[in-house]
Amino acid sequence: MTREDEDMTVPATAPDTGAADLAPPAGALSQLIQEALDKGDSYQRLADRAIDPETGETVSKPYLQRIVKTPPTNPPTVPMIGAIAAALGKPVRRVQEAVAKQWLQYEATELAGYDSEVRIIVGHLAGKSKAELMKWRYMIEAEERAKREAGE
């Protein structure tokens, strides 16, 4: 090594030991599967139950493991969601919500005590102006007030 080479030598940086300790937070579907495992289920038992009741589509043990450990870039298909719901013993809607949250960063708030028409109204109101939202809110509140006063 010449004197010139020595001057061009750059000291190596120490590895960042903290970066390896900071794993990204598990996604919502990953967490659902992990919860089942924490309660005593195994990947194999989950895979054995992972059959979509409508299509017969199945989900394998390695796929379930991948969702928890290194989630694929693409979300599961609709039949796969049905299979995962069957494996976990959860409603399909709950698994769909977890998939939407994990892969699309989309989270919906469930409205309890209402029928499907209320969900449609809420979806319809997305993106409306503040004035339009206030108009709808007053109409809904007036309807609720009328029902209470009528003893319904």
Side-chain angles (χ1 to χ4, degrees):
M1 187 185 295
T2 67
R3 175 87 176 141
E4 214 171 87
D5 291 334
E6 277 182 25
D7 290 342
M8 296 186 79
T9 304
V10 179
T13 57
D16 183 4
T17 56
D21 297 335
L22 298 176
L29 182 58
S30 301
Q31 288 174 351
L32 279 180
I33 295 169
Q34 187 61 55
E35 286 169 13
L37 297 170
D38 292 344
K39 290 178 183 171
D41 246 324
S42 69
Y43 285 113
Q44 187 59 58
R45 283 195 298 266
L46 291 173
D48 291 344
R49 294 192 307 259
I51 303 167
D52 179 42
E54 291 184 25
T55 65
E57 174 102 18
T58 61
V59 175
S60 68
K61 174 183 170 183
Y63 184 78
L64 293 169
Q65 290 171 318
R66 209 167 32 255
I67 289 175
V68 173
K69 296 179 183 188
T70 55
T73 54
N74 292 324
T77 64
V78 172
M80 291 169 80
I81 290 171
I84 294 167
L88 297 173
K90 303 260 185 217
V92 171
R93 183 175 191 86
R94 175 69 185 100
V95 175
Q96 286 173 324
E97 290 168 356
V99 168
K101 187 173 182 182
Q102 182 162 335
W103 275 271
L104 304 174
Q105 289 76 50
Y106 174 81
E107 191 168 355
T109 302
E110 180 70 27
L111 299 173
Y114 297 97
D115 60 19
S116 60
E117 290 179 11
V118 171
R119 285 191 189 103
I120 293 168
I121 291 170
V122 172
H124 174 73
L125 294 177
K128 297 285 186 188
S129 71
K130 187 169 180 139
E132 289 175 299
L133 290 174
M134 288 177 67
K135 177 179 120 181
W136 276 90
R137 182 178 186 176
Y138 292 143
M139 287 190 310
I140 292 168
E141 288 173 352
E143 171 71 16
E144 290 297 317
R145 192 170 37 256
K147 283 182 181 178
R148 279 194 306 275
E149 289 174 4
E152 290 183 17

